[in-house]
């Protein structure tokens, strides 16, 4: 009896002790775990927010004067940006903003209005993009060169001197197995959504190159009868009936007078007499609509054709599969009621984001001579500031001088007539200097977002197409 009682007591003590031990050990474990969790969270927080202060970034702090040190310390943010580890993921979307008519020299001058330092940092938003490449302008070596070919070199990724001359014989030009395709078409074939927005007419040199069209005639007006009879088509026709144009989810710009022979000629949007005016009774806008109606019988697609700024403004674009906007008879600069770049880009992105399947958007802001360049830069700045911050997107801003001395067959205003090189070298030195200054300068390419580090150094202009093709091809295999 006694032994049993004793055993019971011992057992109770032991149980009590072990409970205590468990309690102590348990609380220790919890403390350790909480601490570990906290450290984990702190580290993540710091990595995510890139918390870094002046103390973290080393430099020869004790070797510089105090008056110098202020400025070195101020540079830490920029250093941190440069030291940021590489992100290996690829973007799902690429948007390219092309400014035609601004070069490095313009940008440097226009960044500082009136030398008014009291306004603080008025840098443009792309000045804060982390990466920058300089694209050589091969037009400088092949002076003079044809504007249409420069555009084809850019968007197809083949060097300027290898871009085929525009052919009179359409039979050969239309051999599909031989025709190079633009980066936009490549994206379409890979299953991405695509868009082209321009403040120029959609049949301009960028539209022509992106749309894989042949020849130099924007509409039928100046096209030789023999060319028409041999089956050649003008750019407007090819853009509406070609595979690239038909697959474009967004196509917004000017050019009504190339697409239709009967256009309203108003005070605020006059027919541009300097540009091609179609006169064969065509209505390619109607053709586009008919084409899409036919398609909608097979696939349930939502589409619209709009021609006024207020129509665009009230459009719930996120439900659309296809959007065509023809907003002026000629270029948008000719229409005082044309929509803003900001509105056009906003609506385009809504269309392109519909299925979140990835997109390539190319936006061209064309700056005709005589237009206030600073105002144009401001417009682009405002457009970019308003863009939805998108973690999956690579944003590129390309500035090109757009001085191309040789007009296409179809004479257009953007081609400034500068005489040929041999003549230039027979001129006095001062004149040569002046002309050299007018030569097309290199383009600047600012990059922000995933994979922006690949845009660096001095590259050929074909690099843009190659790089975009690489980036987007990887983005598809990831998903
Ligand atoms: C561009 O936009 C940024 C961001 O809103 C602003 O800080 C900057 O002043 C703008 N630049 C100009 C030149 O307007
Ligand atoms: C098109 O190009 C291919 C490849 O060079 C060639 O074999 C074919 O004969 C060409 N077709 C025509 C109609 O010229
Ligand atoms: C716009 O369209 C989307 C998709 O169809 C729909 O969810 C949304 O409610 C619409 N917004 C408005 C304001 O009608």
């Amino acid at each position: 009896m006694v032994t049993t009682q004793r055993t019971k007591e011992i057992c109770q003590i032991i149980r009590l002790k072990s409970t205590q031990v468990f309690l102590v050990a348990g609380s220790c474990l919890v403390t350790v775990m909480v601490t570990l969790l906290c450290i984990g969270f702190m580290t993540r927080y710091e990595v995510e927010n890139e918390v870094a202060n002046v103390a973290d970034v080393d430099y020869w702090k004790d070797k510089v004067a105090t008056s110098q040190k202020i400025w070195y310390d101020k540079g830490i943010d920029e250093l941190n940006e440069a030291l940021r580890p590489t992100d290996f993921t690829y973007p799902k979307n690429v948007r390219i903003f092309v400014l035609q008519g601004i070069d490095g020299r313009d940008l440097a001058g226009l960044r500082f209005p009136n030398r008014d330092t009291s306004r603080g940092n008025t840098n443009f938003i792309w000045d804060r993009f982390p990466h920058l490449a300089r694209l050589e302008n091969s037009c400088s070596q092949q002076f003079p060169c044809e504007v249409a070919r420069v555009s084809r070199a850019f968007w197809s990724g083949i060097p300027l001197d290898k871009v085929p001359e525009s052919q009179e014989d359409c039979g050969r030009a239309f051999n599909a197995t031989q025709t190079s395709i633009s980066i936009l078409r490549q994206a379409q074939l890979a299953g991405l959504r695509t868009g082209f927005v321009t403040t120029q007419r959609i049949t301009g040199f960028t539209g022509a190159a992106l749309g894989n069209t042949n020849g130099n005639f924007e509409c039928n007006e100046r096209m030789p009868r023999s060319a028409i009879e041999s089956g050649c088509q003008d750019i407007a026709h090819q853009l509406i009936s070609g595979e690239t144009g038909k697959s474009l989810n967004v196509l917004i710009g000017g050019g009504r007078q190339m697409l239709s022979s009967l256009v309203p000629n108003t005070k605020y949007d006059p027919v541009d007499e300097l540009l091609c005016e179609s006169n064969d009774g065509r209505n390619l806008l109607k053709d586009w609509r008919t084409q899409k109606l036919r398609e909608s019988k097979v696939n349930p697609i939502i589409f619209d054709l709009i021609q006024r700024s207020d129509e665009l403004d009230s459009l719930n674009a996120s439900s659309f599969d296809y959007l065509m906007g023809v907003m002026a008879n000629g270029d948008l600069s000719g229409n005082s009621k044309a929509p803003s770049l900001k509105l056009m880009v906003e609506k385009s992105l809504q269309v392109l984001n519909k299925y979140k399947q990835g997109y390539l958007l190319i936006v061209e802001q064309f700056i005709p001579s005589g237009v206030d360049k600073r105002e144009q830069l401001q417009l682009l700045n405002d457009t970019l500031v308003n863009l939805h911050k998108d973690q999956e997107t690579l944003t590129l801003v390309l500035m090109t001088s757009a001085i191309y001395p040789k007009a296409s067959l179809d004479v257009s205003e953007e081609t400034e007539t500068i005489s040929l090189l041999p003549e230039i070298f027979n001129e006095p030195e001062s004149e040569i200097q002046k002309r050299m200054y007018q030569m097309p300068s290199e383009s600047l390419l600012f990059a922000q977002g995933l994979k922006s580090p690949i845009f660096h150094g001095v590259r050929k202009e074909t690099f843009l197409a190659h790089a975009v093709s690489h980036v987007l091809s990887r983005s598809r295999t990831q998903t």
Side-chain angles (χ1 to χ4, degrees), residues 171-172 175-178:
R172 258 175 65 207
N175 190 340
T177 54
Q178 295 228 332

Side-chain angles (χ1 to χ4, degrees), residues 8-27:
K8 227 184 209 166
E9 272 174 29
I10 288 174
C11 279
Q12 263 173 0
I13 289 166
I14 288 176
R15 200 180 297 152
L16 203 71
K17 283 234 168 104
S18 62
T19 318
Q20 279 173 338
V21 168
F22 270 122
L23 268 175
V24 171
S27 28

Side-chain angles (χ1 to χ4, degrees), residues 8 60 66-68 70 90 127 158 161 219 227-228 237 247 280 297 315 317 341 354 357 369 372 394 408 435 447 470:
K8 227 184 209 166
W60 288 322
T66 328
S67 58
Q68 269 177 306
I70 303 168
Y90 279 75
D127 289 330
I158 46 181
D161 57 348
C219 74
I228 297 173
H237 243 299
S247 309
D280 57 357
K297 301 250 162 66
L315 199 74
L341 185 74
K354 183 172 179 186
Q357 69 195 70
S369 49
D372 185 345
L394 170 68
S408 314
R435 292 225 190 253
H470 162 67

Side-chain angles (χ1 to χ4, degrees), residues 6-196:
R6 185 93 189 110
T7 319
K8 227 184 209 166
E9 272 174 29
I10 288 174
C11 279
Q12 263 173 0
I13 289 166
I14 288 176
R15 200 180 297 152
L16 203 71
K17 283 234 168 104
S18 62
T19 318
Q20 279 173 338
V21 168
F22 270 122
L23 268 175
V24 171
S27 28
C28 280
L29 205 67
V30 168
T31 317
V32 168
M33 275 171 70
V34 167
T35 315
L36 280 177
L37 265 174
C38 280
I39 290 175
F41 274 130
M42 286 292 286
T43 322
R44 250 192 83 173
Y45 178 80
E46 287 197 6
V47 169
E48 274 179 6
N49 292 277
E50 280 148 37
V51 174
N53 52 43
V54 176
D56 296 342
V57 178
D58 254 338
Y59 66 91
W60 288 322
K61 292 189 172 90
D62 53 350
K63 306 256 183 328
V64 293
T66 328
S67 58
Q68 269 177 306
K69 199 167 172 298
I70 303 168
W71 304 109
Y72 279 73
D73 285 350
K74 270 188 194 290
I76 296 303
D77 282 348
E78 286 174 357
L79 275 173
N80 268 323
E81 187 60 49
L83 291 167
R84 193 212 288 250
T86 314
D87 192 331
F88 290 101
T89 42
Y90 279 75
K92 222 167 119 186
N93 318 307
V94 173
R95 43 196 184 203
I96 309 176
F97 294 85
V98 187
L99 225 74
Q100 303 270 14
I102 297 271
D103 63 8
R105 206 162 37 219
D106 293 327
L107 192 61
L110 297 168
R111 212 179 260 137
F112 304 104
N114 316 321
R115 308 258 170 261
D116 181 2
T117 48
S118 67
R119 289 175 58 178
N121 184 4
T122 55
N123 277 5
F124 295 107
I125 193 157
W126 49 86
D127 289 330
R128 285 183 242 143
F129 282 14
H131 296 101
L132 171 67
R134 223 181 143 99
L135 302 187
E136 289 170 12
N137 192 329
S138 41
C139 194
S140 308
Q141 288 124 43
Q142 292 192 18
F143 201 68
C145 56
E146 211 178 284
V147 56
R149 297 186 69 204
V150 177
S151 210
R152 283 175 212 277
F154 246 113
W155 300 113
S156 67
I158 46 181
L160 182 61
D161 57 348
K162 299 288 185 291
V163 174
E165 294 281 351
S166 43
Q167 308 203 358
E168 287 300 311
D169 172 9
C170 298
R172 258 175 65 207
F174 278 105
N175 190 340
T177 54
Q178 295 228 332
T179 316
S180 55
I181 56 170
S182 71
I183 186 69
L184 200 72
R185 182 64 187 149
Q186 293 166 39
Q188 289 176 348
L189 293 173
L192 274 80
R193 281 166 87 79
T194 51
F196 172 52

